[in-house]
Structures are given as C-alpha cells and as structure tokens.
C-alpha cells in the first residue's frame, strides 16, 4: 500500500471538521469530492502535517507520518498544492520550482559558499530539472516571470510543477483546475495521467469540476460534513443516491434522474 | 532603474554646479582664523549637559577673544554634536583635524567618546581640554595633547568619603547611575569609605530616571546615616526628592554632577541641607564665580549647567595658550598643545595648572551644603569644607 | 541574609510594583489599541505620551505663574490638566496617523514601522526646540501640589502617597471606561469589527478610515492622561523621558497579549511587580553581588520566558495558522 | 525622458562615468573641505553602478574609485576616509541584518547585540583588561586580531543560534519584541558585568585595545579602510552566494509564505536559525574590527537606537537587496556624519561671517536654534518622507537574470 | 436596478474579470453560476466596492457605483454576504447583528428588524449572547445573512450561502432566501450548488474565466446541456 490513512478525526473547537475517515491509495489517480466545507482540505492538511489529527493514523509505505513536520513529510515523498494558490509571488517561476526541490538538494553551507564543482553540478542539475518540469507543464516561456505576474491558470500549473519538483511519490492537488477553461483543464488532466504513467506517482485530487473528476480518476471518495459517505469508481459514485442527495442537492437528484 | 538613474544624474549635476559656484568661506583677512571646536552631545538625552559645555566655551570666546583679535586673528567657535556616540565623535574628530584652522577642542561630555576621539586628535597633536571627563583613563594614557580642568573620579570620591567620615556617618548607602562618571566616583567613594572604617551597607547602580520607589524601599528599611548618589542632578534630584517623600531621614551627598540650581528646582526642600563636592566654588564665596553666573544668565537667560564653568575655564586656558603660541606669528597645533601645559590660570574653578599627564596639579575641592530650596538662591550655598588634593601618584 | 527585613518590606514592594504597573498599563493601552486594530507598533506613542506630560506641565506652570494653582482644589486642577493633556495627545496622535501612517496603510508591515520611528525622532526634537525657545529649559518640573504628596501610613513602615492612589484610581477608571467603550457601545463594537476584518466591516457600512482615526484618538488620549499622571507622580520630564517608559509599556502590552485591553493591564502589572521585586530584592538576596541595575535584564528575561511558553502573551488568543 | 534613455546607452554612459569620476576627484582635490565635492564623488560611484556598461568595465571603474581614488582622497582629508570606513562597517551590518529581515523576513530589533558580542570578544583579549579575569599574560599580541575576526564570527553566530533556538517559534511582532529584549539584555550585561567578576569593565569601557599590525607601512586610517573594504567585499560575495542558492531561496520562500515553504520541504527552524547565525556572524566580524578601530569600547555604542539605525538602512535601501543595503548604509551614515553636519557647519560659518538673511543677521540667532542640535529631527523627517514616497527603498530587490547565464553555460558543458 | 457593463477588474496585474456584463432587476433573484476561480466572488466584491474596476460601467439605479467606498455603497442599499461568511468571530451574535445596522440610527426600527431577523432564524435567538466564533457552520451562515438584512438592503448579494451546510440546512437557507425576496429584497446569488440556485432564481448567468458565457431564465439554463454537464454533474 502506497498510502493509507485510517480513522482520521480532526476537530476545531466544537466543530468536527473530519470524522473517522479512512483513505487508501495504491497508485493511479484518486479524487476526493464533496460540497465546499465538507472537510476535504482539512484532510489534506492532516496528510501533509499542517494539522495534527485528533485521532487516526497516516502511513506512507508503512512509515507513520503522524507527528512529523510538513517539511519532513515532503522529504519522505508527499507534496501538495493549495486551494488558494500559495506561490512565492515575488519569486520567478523557476525559483518557485527550485524551492520545491529544497528537500532533494544535498548541499551544505560550505558547498554554497565555496561554489566548488560539486555545487555547480548539483545546482546545474537542479536548474535543468526545473526547466524541464516547467516546459512540461507548459511554462517553458515564462521561466523568469515573477509568479504574481502569471495568469491564474498558469499559476496553478506552476504550483503543480513546484510540487512535482520535490519528486513526490504521492501528490495531493487541491482544486488543480479551478480558474481554468475547459480545454485547459482537459490538457492538465492529460498531463497528470502522463506523470502517473511515467513515474508511478500516486495522485489525490480535490476537484469540483465533475467532468474532470469523472474523466480522470480511477477511484472517487465522497465526503460530506467530514464523513466519508461513498467510495468507488466514478460511475458507482455518480449513481449513488446518497451522493446525489448530499452533493448535488435533492432537486439535482430529481432532475438528474430522468 | 531608469528613473533612479535619472534622479541620480540630476542630483549629480546639481552637486557639480554647487561645488563650483558655492565658494567655501575662505580666510578673509588679517593673519587668519583661529577656531575653537567644542564636541559634546547637542541632541539626545544628554543634550542639556552637552549644551552647557558649548555655551561655556561660547561665553569664554566672546569675552576673551580680544587680545587675539587685536593681534590680527579672527576667533571663531565651531560646535560639533557628538550625539554621545563614540563613532560619531570619532568621525567629527577626523573632520576637526582636517580643518587646519582648529587649534583646540573643548570636550567631551562622555569619556566613552572622549577616549577614542582623543586618539584621533593625537595624530596631529591637536589639543583637547576636557571640562567633564573625570575617568582616570583619559589622562592616564599620558597623551601630550590631552588635559582636563575637571577633577578625577578617584580624587572626588576620596573628598566625599573624607567628609562623610567627618560627619560622623557610620553607615552609608551608595547609589550610582551606571555611567562611567557616576559609577567611577561611587566606586572610589566606596573603596575609600571602607578604608576609613565607614560601613557601606549597600552599593547599587541604576539607569532608572523616574521611579526610584523600589530602590528606596530596602534603603529605608536599612536606614543608613548617609546616602551617596554618584551621578548627575537630573537623576539625583528625583531620587532624593522621592527619598524624602518616602520618609527617609538620612543625610544626602553627591559629587559635582549635583552642582546645579536645577537640583533644588526639581527636588525643592528635599535637598536642603544636602552636601555635594565641587571643584568650582560657590558664587557667594568667589567673586569670579558670581560674575560668571551673572554673565551666563545675561547672555543665555538661564543658569549654567554643570561643566559650563569648566568649559569656560578650559576655553580661557586654550585662548591663553594660543596667544602664547601666536607670539611667534604662526600658530601650530603642537605649539598650542605644549603651551597649554605651561599655562597658569586663575579661573572660576580655582587655580589651574597641569601636570605632565594633563591633570590639574593640585586641585582645590569644596564641600558645599544646599542652603535654600529656592533655585535662584543656589549661589548662597555654603562651603562647609575645603580640601586641596593632588592627583594620585602613578600606580604601577 | 536578613529574613526579617526581606519579609518586612514585602508589602511596600508590592505597593511600589502595583503603582509602577498601573503606570505601564496606562501607557500600554495606547500601543494595544492601535495594535489591536492595525497590527502595527506605533513607535511614536512614547512621544504622544510625553507630549501629554508637556502640555500638562505647561498648564500647571501657567496656573502657577498666574498664582491660582494653590487656590483651586487639587482635584479640579488635576482634572483640568488631565483633560488638556488627553486632548492634546489625542490631536497629536490623530495628526500622526493622517500624515505618516495612512498613506502607508497597504505597504508591507515594516514600512510604517520605519515611518513611526521617523516620527518619533522628529517629535522628540520638535518638543525640545519648542521648549528651549519658550522656556529655555530642557528638564521641566511639575509644580508640587502639597496635598498630593501627603502619605498615608498603613503601618509604621508601609505607606502610600495620595498621588500614587490617584494613579491607581485614574488607571482603573480609564481602563474601565475604555473597556466599557469598546465592549458596550456601538462605536466600540465597530472598533472591534474593524480590528477583526476590515473588509467585512466596510461591508457593514463602517467607515474604516474614520474608525482607525478614532482608535488613534483614543489611544492618544490614554497616552496623554498617562503622561500627565507620570509627570505628577515623578515630577521631572524632558523630551526624551518618554522613550524608556514607552519601551517598557510596549513590552508590557506584548507580555499581556498585544491588542488585548485587559492584557495590557495584566502585562503592566506583571512587569511593574517584576521590576519592583528585582530592584528591591536582587541586592539583598545576592548579598550585593547583583543589584537594582539588573532589574531590566530580569524583566526582559522573564518576558522572553513567558513568550516561549505562551507565544501570544498572557491573555492573547492563540490563533491557529490556517493553511 | 530622452536624457535618461541616452544614459542607458553604454556609448554615452561610459565616457560620462569616467568624466564624472575625474571631475569629482579633481573637485575633492581642489576643495578638500567641501562636503559637496565628496558627495559628488560618491554620486559618481553610484552613477557607475547604475549606468549601462559591460560588467568588467564597471568593476574596473569601481575598483579605480574605491581602491585608488578613495585612499588618495583620504590623504587630502582623513575625515572622508573615516566616513568611507564607517560606511563600510555599517554596510556590513546592514548586509547581515538584510539576511535576517530582508531575506528571511524575521524582524530583529536587537541586532546590535551581535555587534557588541564581537566587539567585546576582541576588546577583552586584545587589551590588558583580560588580566583582571585570567591573572596575566594579556593583551594578546596584535597579530591575534586576525584570528579574532573568526572568533568574533563564531561567537556571534553562536549567540544568534542561542537566541534563535527558543524564540524562532514566535511570530512577527512577538519575535521583534524578544529580539529587542535580547539586545537590551546584552547591553545591560555589558554595562553590569564588572562585578562580581570584571568581564566588561562596565560603563567605564575597555581601553586600550590593540590594533592589528599594519603591513607595508600604510597609515592606520588607510589600512583600516582597506580592511573594512575587504570584509565588505567578502560579505557581499557570501551574501550573493547564499542568496543564489537553495538556502537563499528557502529564506525568501519563508518570507513570502511560511506555510507553503514548509510544505515544499523547507525545514523552517533550521533555515531561520541559519539566517540568524549568518546575520549575526557578519555583525560579530565587524564588531572585532570596530573595537580595534576605536581603541576603546563601552556599552554606549550598542544601544537600541543603533539597532534601529541599521534597520533603517536596510529598509531605506530596499529590503532583501544587497546593493540596497550598501546604499542604505551609505545614505544614513553620510547623512548623519557628513551632510547634516556639513549643513550645520555651513550655517555656523555664515553666522560667524555675519551674513544677513532677509534683514536678519544670522549672528543674532538664539543659541537654542543652533543648527547642530536639530540633525536628528531632519533625519526623522527624511525617514517619513522616504517611506511615503519610496516605500520599496532606493534600490529594491529585483529578480535577476544572471543565474540564467550561469546555468546556460553549465547546460552546454554538461550536455556536450 | 443594478447594471454591469464591460467591467474589467484585476488583482495586481492579473485580470480577474474581463468584461462582465449583467443586470439585476428590481424584485428578482438572479443566480450567478460558475466554477471556483471563474470570477463569481470577484464580481460581487466589485459591486460592493471592495474592488475598483479598471474600466467599464457599474450603476445602481443609473447612479455610478465605481469608486464609491464600500461603506457608502451600503448606505445606498446594497448588502453583501461575503464568501466564507466573514462574520466577526470575536463579537457576540447580537453585536454582529447590530453591526449590520451600523449605518442606521433609528433605534426603534432597528429593534423591530432585530425581531424580524430573529424570527427568521430562531436558532440565532437561542445563541444571542454567544460569541460568534463558537457557532456551527449553519448558524454562522444564518448570522451572516441576518447581519446583512439588518441593513435593510434593497439589493442583497449572497456569496455561496450553502457552503458547508447539511442538506436540511441548505433547504432551509434557500427557503429563507425566497422569503426575503418575497418581502421585497432583490437578490444576486452566487452559488456552486447550481441545481439549488436555479431552483430559486428567476434568471441566471454563467461565468467562466472572468466573462459571462451564458445567460437566460433559470429554466433555460437548467435545461442547457452544457450547463447540465459542467455544473449539474452529468
């Protein structure tokens, strides 16, 4: 099992944001869906160490992630993007990606100050990798544009590249297509499939664009009010009555069932 | 970038034009100009004392420049603000030695500024006469150009303890202000008092300026016969005032930093009967001192701060030395430095003559007692004791 | 070690500490009001504070030279002087905000801080310039009001002066008034709303700029009152006097949890007591090896310790960083 | 507009730079006491830095200005050399603080504490004072100074880590107040550690502090200038190397968004500690140099206002910008030591010369209005005006293209 | 009453709205649909004055609104329930509600309005002295709407009122929205739950990457295959 979370519970004051949720991934692409405020992002924050859960266990390859700092979790191979895009806005695109590589750079203070051949080799390699990554997500021409000057869709792509730069085994994407046009979103999904095929990377995505979810994901987990209410293939989930009611609304259910 | 560059270019152009068109005030007439520089803090928390030094020098120049002007020299004062900061003092010092007209420096207030700055003056044997730096190190370095008209911490502390002993004080409590000046005197007071068999039941420093209650509480409980405050009046006065308000009955005493009418202005009747040591006699006893205070008040419409009289004497000595040096028709800095050591001057703070290190040969010290709570009657303070003490012999 | 002496002075030390603490609390209110709303350290508050003290002393000196100071009851004089000091400092704070801070509202956090430092330098020397021309003096002395200096003896060794009681009463009154204003009135609610969420507050029809000005006015008035009381209590002020108490009061505000009004009070008292204990006891406890000169180190060390264990101050809310 | 564009052309800019350098040099030589002439020279250096020209030419011109002309100017007027030296000292301090505040975004209000730590480390051992602690054998020979540059570095860095470890979890203003407290603690300790054991000699300060041996019989002022210049150059190189590495990028990432930085694998505490230690070490080195240069130190050099002054330099120059920090240090120092002083001296001269302005003789100016007394007030106004009209600083940090060139070459060599 | 014409808005240099045109007539409920990031919230923020358009016309009753500060726009009769509710967490429920009526000084009428809001949301009555931060998500949403109603708006801007709410509550909220509308308040509704939104609205607009791509009556939109696929999950 690549990634397994068991019995995750997270409370904020009196509110239980996530209640006893199990989630596993062996590979491929999984989607977590649910209405806004269902607890999806909270779950991501637990997975990446930003929140410590009130209960439950998170494991990557049998390594427990509970109690680790976010940077340690990233070093182990879990990286993410953010719902509201948290790029380093004053840094250029390529610098953003280079920061993403931080955990993989094996240089000490002395290497940096001395600028020896080792430094140049490692740094050169990092720049090449960063460039390749940016080219792959379609930002090859904007390497030296400051992140804040990029259009919304490009910022999403840059965030993806930055996350990929840490060579994750598991990539968590929070609404990767928000703010993209339909064709852009499709393109991105193709890209994600490509990454999965190339490197055996596991991807979990939170997504509202149902078209995207249905097209790209191998499995779908549905959350509502912090609880998992359904799980299965896209088709299974789409026809699940409870899902239709909770997520699409009762009227949606009426009109969706001809 | 372009905009920055444009602005820089315009400024450059302006500066270039100004360099060519604004002529530096050159020496106009006669044999030239003799400048006396003062260096003291003119801004920041110690500005009042620093200004006292500047004003003392200014008064002396206005009053005593006559002979030099008759001889064809123009005499000017150049005040510098050292901000009580050593790095600023050193930069000013370099600026001063670069001005060939400056023949003597009157300063500084802070030993911390005086010591590094005098290292700079030394390079050109530019004379510095200190009105206020009582720290022994100032002259113990034996620089040929550095002299001081004020006493030394070690001497004044001894004067204080000598007197305290005579007053039958058995237990004393010593407070100081954590400055080189205050702590220096307090240290010597304590050491000498213990040697003389007085019981020092407390010794503390504080940077506090306003609220002395917490310090006074244990003092009150210990009830010493005498409290000695090593520091300046603006801290001492509130301290003594609050002490009396708190019901302390001890006798009060302090060094020459207390010698200001502001002491009574701030502390009022609390300090009536308090003792302080000083090298400057009271106006009532010494006619010279009286006329100095009167003239100072007339010119600047306020009472002289501590060190104003010392600055006046220092400037007077400087002018005498310059006159002596000018007899050859040409004034050099080395000359002036050498002449200063030869001057015998009868000033407001007594007869001044320097020894080989630049200390006063024999200094006359007074112990005075505050007579009246009215600040305008500061001059009425009585001399209760006079002591003539030479600077301590060289220690090895 | 004289244990009897140590215990004997304890009540007096506590009283001394409380008085000092209330003084810090009063000054701290100005910092905390502004910080609570703008999350900005108003470095110039120490000058706002000392400006109030100067206005107060000028009025008292004026009354004195007119020969009326002794003829009016001291309460009346005190109230008049307090009000004048508050008004003057409030106006000053208002002007500072308009001129030096408002244009920088949306700049990165450090920018207004530097502007505030500039204002602080400027004001110190403006006060000095004015006073040196007007009175030809650097230190100004508050005229003594005899009735305020009377000391009430609690026991033979413990006493407290009327003016110290005035400080405590005034501080409590002002804290209460401020607390009531902020918590019980519509305008106070608006202040809290703006503090929490400026955009949402503007959607309620609240003129955010006006509320921010008001905050400065209130903070300034508190500073002015503290300035007058400071002058009355300690007697001597100069243009730079405000700096150290300002720094300490700011520390007190942080200690209590900056932005929090009861926190400013608590922080002030804790700091005041710590200082009093250190100044009174350090020398006695260490046999003179360490003395009152360590009181600031002691106070700052405790501050650092408290913040390590309670990173948002004693009463500050620990707000979770949301991802 | 057009004028500016012309200057952007190397063909115009290069001869203009050379001309400026020559003119300003000549101006200082013919009016050695003119503040404006020296300002012109400084302006020429800034112009060379900004104007369009090939890098090697710029380096050459700057080298001529700083290595050849500046010492010669110093021979005409030592005061200017002193200013240049102090600019260097503060530039190094500003560069150190720039790492902490500008790059890593941690507000440090007690930075001068590290300067003090460095200064005292040499002051104690480089003067007879250490005899009071260890009994005898001191001062160390002047040559030890060079070792103590590294001791100062290490001790200050250690102090940075010791302070950082407990407090770096604090956010924003809480961190600021703790660093402020730390700065005060260090100063008060320096002021009080004369008893029970006399480590610092308290307020009386330590003197005489040994100066390093001067090679080639240079005058000490010149030597001290070159030493400071060398250290500043090293600091700039170190700064740039840090900035253009994963470490510098991690710092900037932390400043921009701490949470995202951590999520991208940046260990926050370690990165912040490193920032603290690096910043502190520069101050430590300069402390050692400062102690030797001054011959005397006492706690008055290390007050809170000094920390604020250095912070103002960083922000005036432009946060996170290396040239900005240097320019900021220059502006503040030159303003404080030279321009404002020059202004008040000039007014004083007018006064002594009996100049009459609008029918009012300057000589009658009351002593309260002595220009020298209001330098800080003017400085305050300048700070406020600067923040309002140019909040990003004079030379704001900008994303650089130079890495591209470096790596593009790398690319070729590796792939071939 | 409200009209947007070719409105362009940018965050810094990134354009967020690229020529939005829409209209809300007196008495209507109008739904604005679109994916996250499409520009729905930006549109509302522009109307309420939190953002200033770079160009384009924005009018209320033919009076220009662009550049008018938000607190003034509230006085003109537009209340905005922002995304994420943005209630004042540290204020009590009652204080939150009184803040809603900040622009008004007619105490008696305000008291009546408070009554009205509390009848509309009885849950708030129970929690009236509680600090708002401790309310549940649904209660917070009620508070946010109630607070906006306290301004007696003529036009109410609702941003995702169903966010994070249980289906029962969603039903209830939309029921209330309808009530409010019936009592004479015009409503512009941004909603992710397209089915729900189209069920209460009379007309709707679909926004995509900063521009309106579709508009029509609620029924037309609900039947549009493109809409059904994108927003109704078919």
């Amino acid at each position: 099992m690549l990634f397994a979370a068991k019995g995750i519970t997270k409370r904020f004051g009196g509110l239980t944001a996530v209640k006893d949720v199990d989630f596993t991934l062996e590979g491929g692409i999984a989607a977590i869906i649910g209405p806004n405020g269902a607890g999806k992002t909270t779950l991501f924050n637990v997975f990446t160490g930003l929140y410590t859960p009130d209960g439950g266990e998170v494991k990557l390859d049998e390594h427990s992630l509970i109690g680790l700092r976010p940077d340690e979790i990233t070093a182990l191979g879990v990286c993410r993007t953010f719902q509201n895009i948290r790029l380093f806005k004053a840094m250029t695109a390529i610098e953003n990606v280079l920061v993403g590589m931080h955990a993989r750079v094996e240089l000490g203070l002395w290497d940096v100050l001395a600028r020896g051949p080792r430094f140049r080799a490692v740094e050169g390699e990092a720049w090449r990798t960063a460039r390749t990554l940016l080219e792959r997500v379609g930002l090859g021409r904007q390497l030296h544009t400051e992140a804040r000057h990029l259009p919304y869709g490009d910022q999403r792509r840059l965030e993806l590249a930055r996350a990929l730069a840490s060579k994750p085994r598991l990539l968590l994407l929070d609404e990767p297509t928000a703010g993209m046009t339909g064709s852009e979103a499709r393109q991105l999904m193709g890209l994600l499939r490509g990454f999965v095929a190339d490197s055996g990377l596991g991807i979990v995505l939170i997504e509202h664009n149902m078209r995207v979810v249905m097209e790209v994901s191998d499995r779908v987990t549905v959350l509502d009010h912090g609880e998992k209410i359904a799980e299965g293939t896209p088709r299974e989930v789409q026809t699940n009555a409870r899902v239709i009611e909770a997520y699409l609304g009762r009227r949606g259910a009426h009109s969706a069932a001809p | 970038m372009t905009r920055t560059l444009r602005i820089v270019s315009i400024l450059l152009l302006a500066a270039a034009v100004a360099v060519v068109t604004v002529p530096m005030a050159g020496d106009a007439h006669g044999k030239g100009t003799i400048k006396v520089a003062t260096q003291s803090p003119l801004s920041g928390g110690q500005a009042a004392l620093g200004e006292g030094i500047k004003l003392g020098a200014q008064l002396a120049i206005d009053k005593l420049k006559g002979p030099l002007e008759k001889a064809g020299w123009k005499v000017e004062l150049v005040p510098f603000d050292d901000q009580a900061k050593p790095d600023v003092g050193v930069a000013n010092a370099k600026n001063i030695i670069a001005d060939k007209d400056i023949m003597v420096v009157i300063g500084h207030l802070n030993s911390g500024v005086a010591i590094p700055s005098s290292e700079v003056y030394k390079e050109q044997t530019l004379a510095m006469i200190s009105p206020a730096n009582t720290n022994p190190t100032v002259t113990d370095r034996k620089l040929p150009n550095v002299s001081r008209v004020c006493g030394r911490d070690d001497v004044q502390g001894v004067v204080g303890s000598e007197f305290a002993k005579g007053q039958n004080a058995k237990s004393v409590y010593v407070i100081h202000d954590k400055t080189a000046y205050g702590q220096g005197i307090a240290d010597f007071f304590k050491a000498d008092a213990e040697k003389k068999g007085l019981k020092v039941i407390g010794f503390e420093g504080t940077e506090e300026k306003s609220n002395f209650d917490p310090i006074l509480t244990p003092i009150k409980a210990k009830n010493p016969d005498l409290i000695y405050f090593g520091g300046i009046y603006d801290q001492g006065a509130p301290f003594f005032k609050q002490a009396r308000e708190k019901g302390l009955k001890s006798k009060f005493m302090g060094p020459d930093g207390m010698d200001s009418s502001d002491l009574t202005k701030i502390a009022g009747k609390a300090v009536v009967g308090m003792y302080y040591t000083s090298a400057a006699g009271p106006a009532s006893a010494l006619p010279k001192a009286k006329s100095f205070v009167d003239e100072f008040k007339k010119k600047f419409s306020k009472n002289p701060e501590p060190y104003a009289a010392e600055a006046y004497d220092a400037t007077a000595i400087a002018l005498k030395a310059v006159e002596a040096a000018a007899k050859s028709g040409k004034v050099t800095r080395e000359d002036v430095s050498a002449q200063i050591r030869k001057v015998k001057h009868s000033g407001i703070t007594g007869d001044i003559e320097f020894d080989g290190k630049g200390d006063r040969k024999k200094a006359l010290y007074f112990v005075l007692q505050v007579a009246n709570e009215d600040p305008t009657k500061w001059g009425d303070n009585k001399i209760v004791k006079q002591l003539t003490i030479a600077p301590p012999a060289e220690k090895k | 070690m004289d244990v009897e002496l140590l215990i004997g002075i304890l009540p007096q030390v506590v009283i001394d500490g409380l008085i000092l603490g209330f003084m810090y609390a009063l000054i701290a209110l100005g910092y905390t009001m502004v910080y609570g709303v703008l999350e900005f350290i108003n470095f110039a508050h120490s000058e706002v504070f000392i400006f109030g003290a100067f206005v107060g002393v000028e009025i008292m000196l004026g009354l004195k030279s007119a020969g009326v100071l002794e003829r009016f009851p001291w309460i009346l004089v005190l109230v008049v002087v307090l009000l004048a000091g508050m008004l003057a400092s409030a106006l000053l704070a208002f002007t500072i905000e308009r001129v030096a801070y408002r244009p920088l509202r949306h700049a990165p956090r450090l920018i207004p801080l530097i502007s505030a430092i500039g204002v602080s330098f400027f004001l110190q020397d403006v006060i000095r310039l004015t006073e040196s021309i007007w009175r030809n003096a650097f230190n100004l002395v508050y005229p003594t009001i005899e009735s305020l200096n009377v000391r009430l003896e609690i026991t033979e060794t413990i006493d407290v002066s009327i003016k110290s009681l005035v400080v405590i009463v005034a501080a409590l009154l002002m804290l209460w008034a401020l607390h009531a204003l902020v918590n019980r009135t519509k305008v106070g609610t608006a202040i809290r709303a703006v503090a929490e969420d400026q955009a949402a507050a503007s959607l309620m029809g609240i003129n955010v700029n006006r509320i921010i000005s008001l905050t400065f006015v209130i903070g300034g008035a508190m500073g002015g009152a503290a300035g007058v009381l400071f002058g009355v209590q300690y007697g001597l002020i100069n243009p730079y006097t405000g700096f150290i108490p300002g720094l300490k009061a700011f520390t007190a505000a942080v200690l209590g949890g900056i932005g929090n009004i009861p926190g400013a009070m608590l922080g002030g008292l804790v700091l005041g007591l710590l200082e009093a204990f250190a100044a009174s006891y350090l020398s006695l406890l260490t046999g003179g090896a360490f003395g009152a000169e360590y009181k600031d180190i002691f106070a700052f060390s405790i501050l650092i310790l408290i913040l390590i264990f309670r990173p948002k101050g004693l009463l500050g809310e620990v707000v979770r960083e949301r991802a | 507009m057009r004028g500016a564009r012309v200057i952007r052309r190397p063909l115009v800019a290069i001869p203009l730079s050379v001309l400026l350098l020559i003119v300003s040099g000549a101006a200082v030589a013919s009016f050695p006491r003119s503040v404006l002439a020296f300002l012109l020279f400084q302006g020429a250096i800034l112009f060379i830095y900004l104007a369009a020209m090939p890098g090697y030419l710029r380096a050459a011109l700057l080298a001529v200005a700083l290595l050849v002309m500046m010492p010669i100017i110093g021979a005409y007027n030592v005061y200017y050399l002193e200013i240049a030296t102090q600019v260097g000292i503060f530039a190094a301090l500003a560069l150190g603080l720039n790492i902490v505040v500008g790059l890593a975004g941690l507000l440090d209000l007690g930075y001068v504490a590290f300067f003090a730590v460095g200064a005292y480390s040499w002051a104690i051992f480089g003067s007879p004072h250490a005899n009071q602690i260890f009994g005898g054998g001191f001062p160390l020979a002047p040559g030890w100074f060079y070792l103590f540059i590294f001791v100062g570095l290490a001790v200050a860095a250690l102090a940075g880590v010791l302070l950082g470890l407990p407090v770096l979890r604090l956010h924003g203003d809480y961190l600021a107040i703790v660093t402020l407290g730390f700065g005060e603690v260090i100063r008060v300790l320096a002021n009080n550690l004369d008893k029970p054991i006399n480590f610092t000699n308290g307020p009386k300060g330590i003197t005489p502090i040994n100066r390093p041996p001067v090679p080639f019989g240079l005058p000490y002022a010149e030597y001290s200038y070159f030493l400071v210049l060398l250290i500043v150059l090293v600091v700039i190189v170190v700064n740039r190397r840090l900035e253009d590495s994963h470490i510098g990028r991690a710092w900037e990432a932390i400043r921009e968004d701490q949470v995202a930085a951590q999520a991208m694998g940046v260990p926050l505490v370690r990165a912040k500690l490193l920032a603290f230690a690096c910043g502190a070490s520069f101050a430590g080195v300069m402390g050692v140099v400062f102690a030797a240069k001054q011959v005397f130190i006492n706690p008055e050099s290390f007050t809170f206002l000094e920390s604020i002054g250095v912070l103002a330099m960083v922000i005036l120059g432009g946060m996170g910008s290396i040239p900005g920090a240097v320019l900021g240090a220059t502006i503040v120092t030159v303003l404080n030591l030279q321009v404002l002083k020059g202004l008040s001296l000039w007014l004083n001269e007018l006064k002594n010369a009996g100049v009459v302005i609008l029918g009012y003789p300057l000589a009658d100016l009351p002593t309260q209005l002595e220009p020298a007394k209001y330098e800080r007030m003017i400085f305050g106004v300048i700070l406020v005006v600067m923040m309002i009209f140019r909040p990003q600083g004079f030379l704001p940090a900008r994303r650089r293209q130079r890495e591209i060139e470096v790596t593009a070459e790398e690319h070729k060599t590796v792939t071939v | 009453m409200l009209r947007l014409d070719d409105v362009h808005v940018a965050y810094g240099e990134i354009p967020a709205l690229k020529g939005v045109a829409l209209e809300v007539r007196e008495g209507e409920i109008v739904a604005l649909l679109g994916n996250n990031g499409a520009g729905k919230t930006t549109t509302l923020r522009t109307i309420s004055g939190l953002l200033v358009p770079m160009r384009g016309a924005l009018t209320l009753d033919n009076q220009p609104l662009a550049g008018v500060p938000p607190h003034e726009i509230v006085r003109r009769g537009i209340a905005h329930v922002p995304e994420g509710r943005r209630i004042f967490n540290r204020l009590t429920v009652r204080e939150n509600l009184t803040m809603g009526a900040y622009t008004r000084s007619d105490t008696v009428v305000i008291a009546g309005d408070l009554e009205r809001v509390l009848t509309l949301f009885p849950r708030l009555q129970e929690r009236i002295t509680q600090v708002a931060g401790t309310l549940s998500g649904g209660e917070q949403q009620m508070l946010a709407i109630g607070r906006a109603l306290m301004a007696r708006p003529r036009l109410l801007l609702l941003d995702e009122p169903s966010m994070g709410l249980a289906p029962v509550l969603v039903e209830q909220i939309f029921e209330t929205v309808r009530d409010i509308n019936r009592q004479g308040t015009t409503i512009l509704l941004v909603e992710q739950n397209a089915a729900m939104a189209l069920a209460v609205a009379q007309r709707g607009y679909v926004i995509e990457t900063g521009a309106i791509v579709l508009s029509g009556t609620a029924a037309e939109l609900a039947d549009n295959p493109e809409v059904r696929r994108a927003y109704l999950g078919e």
Side-chain angles (χ1 to χ4, degrees), chain B residues 42-48 173 176 178 203-215 217-218 220-222 233-235 238 241-242 245-247 262 265-266 269 300-302, chain C residues 5 9 12-13 16 19-20 24 125 128 136-139 141-142 144 146 149 151 156-157 159 163 230 233-236 238 240-241 248 275-276 279-280 283-284 288 291-293 295:
Chain B
L42 297 176
S43 62
Q46 302 179 39
Y173 205 106
H176 60 84
K178 284 308 310 179
F203 183 81
E204 279 186 284
T206 180
E207 291 180 54
E208 180 61 55
K209 298 257 189 246
S210 307
N211 170 36
F212 296 98
D213 274 342
I215 298 172
T217 297
K220 187 183 174 189
K222 286 183 167 182
Y233 71 91
D234 63 348
Q235 201 182 2
K241 186 178 183 212
Q242 289 174 31
E245 281 176 9
K246 227 174 153 78
D262 276 8
K265 193 172 152 200
I266 299 163
K269 61 178 191 293
F300 307 118
S301 52
K302 61 177 172 187
Chain C
L5 177 82
I9 63 172
Q12 185 67 49
V13 174
D16 294 343
I19 296 164
L20 182 62
Y24 285 152
D125 282 335
R128 186 164 73 110
N136 205 354
F138 179 73
N139 289 305
V141 185
Y142 264 74
T144 326
E146 284 307 329
N149 274 342
R151 291 188 87 88
E156 204 176 311
T157 48
D159 56 20
K163 62 185 180 189
F230 185 91
Q233 172 77 6
Y234 301 123
L236 183 68
N238 72 46
Y240 305 97
T241 305
K248 296 269 184 65
E275 263 196 58
S280 294
S283 167
L284 296 173
E293 57 266 37
K295 74 173 168 134

Side-chain angles (χ1 to χ4, degrees), chain C residues 158-177:
Chain C
I158 300 151
D159 56 20
V160 57
S161 67
I162 301 271
K163 62 185 180 189
S164 307
L165 290 180
V166 167
V167 169
I168 294 181
V169 170
L172 286 173
L173 264 178
M174 270 187 270
L175 281 163
W176 170 79

Side-chain angles (χ1 to χ4, degrees), chain C residues 35 109 111 124 128 250 308, chain D residues 169 173 177 373 376 391:
Chain C
Y35 191 92
R109 300 180 51 116
I111 303 301
Q124 282 176 357
R128 186 164 73 110
F250 175 59
I308 288 169
Chain D
R169 294 189 306 132
D173 298 315
I177 196 75
K373 289 164 66 177
R376 225 160 63 114

Side-chain angles (χ1 to χ4, degrees), chain C residues 35 99 104 109-111 114 118 122 124-125 128-129 132 136 240 243 250 254 258 288 293-294 307-308, chain D residues 101 107 166 169-170 173-174 177-178 192 195 304 315 319 368-369 373-374 376-377 380-381 387-388 391:
Chain C
Y35 191 92
V99 174
L104 303 172
R109 300 180 51 116
L110 280 178
I111 303 301
I114 295 295
F122 173 75
Q124 282 176 357
D125 282 335
R128 186 164 73 110
L129 175 70
S132 73
N136 205 354
Y240 305 97
F243 187 70
F250 175 59
V254 174
I258 192 158
E293 57 266 37
Y294 280 91
L307 285 184
I308 288 169
Chain D
V101 179
L107 180 52
R169 294 189 306 132
L170 298 174
D173 298 315
Y174 289 87
I177 196 75
V178 167
N192 286 326
K195 67 172 193 173
F304 173 62
I315 293 171
M319 284 224 295
Q368 290 92 326
L369 293 176
K373 289 164 66 177
Y374 297 100
R376 225 160 63 114
M377 183 173 88
V381 174
M387 288 302 102
I388 291 175

